[in-house]
Amino acid sequence: SMEVHAQFFLRLCRAFVEVLDARAFVFHTRLAEVTPLMKQRSDRVQEKVNAVTFGFGGGTRIGSCVHEAAQLHLGRWLRRGDVVLVFSDGYDTDVPDALPAALAAIRARGARIGWLHPTVQIPQSEAMQAAAPLVYRFMPAHNLASLARLHEMVA
C-alpha cells in the first residue's frame, strides 16, 4: 500500500538524515536500516533500498518492525525528548496489539512518536486505533504543501 508513496517518503527521509543527522529504517515484513544509503548522492536510492530490503512493498508488520528498531537499533541511544517518526499509512498485518506495545516501549523511554501518513485522514486500521493515544501528533505528508507544518513534528 505504500509503494506509490515510497519515492516521496524516501526523499523526505533523506532530508532528515542530511539535515538532522537522523537514522533511517524501512520496513515491510522485516526491518532494514538504510541510513548509509540515504547519505549517498544517487537518484537510484529506491532501487538500492529494494535490493537491501528484498520485498519492500510486500506487506507490512509495523508493530514487529517498530519493536525491532527500538530494541535492537535505537535502544541504548533513545532518550527522553527524542522524536521517533514513523512514515506509514498504518495498514498493519501484525496482530493488532503489537503496534501499541511497540510504541508504548518507545514512550516509556521518554521519546515522542510522530506519525506521517500519505493520506489526508489519520490511518484507521485496528492497530492504529489502539496505538493512536501513544502518538503525540499525526500529520499528513502526501505532497509538498502538506509539509509546511513539518517543523512542528520535530520541535
Side-chain angles (χ1 to χ4, degrees), residues 16-17 46-47 51 57 60 64 66 81 84 87 101-102 119 122-123 140-141 148 151:
F16 278 106
V17 169
Q46 178 70 53
E47 291 174 32
T60 309
S64 297
V66 169
V84 174
F87 299 11
T119 58
I122 294 173
H151 66 280

Side-chain angles (χ1 to χ4, degrees), residues 6 10 15 37 40 42 44 69 128 130 136 145:
L10 285 172
L37 292 174
Q40 293 179 11
S42 171
R44 297 177 51 196
M128 285 305 309
Y136 88 97

Side-chain angles (χ1 to χ4, degrees), residues 135-153:
V135 176
Y136 88 97
R137 181 165 289 146
F138 286 94
M139 184 175 289
H142 58 287
N143 59 28
L144 289 176
S146 67
L147 300 180
R149 295 180 34 227
L150 191 57
H151 66 280
E152 297 172 16
M153 279 289 217

Side-chain angles (χ1 to χ4, degrees), residues 96-108:
D97 60 341
L99 182 58
L103 297 183
I106 292 171
R107 290 281 306 268

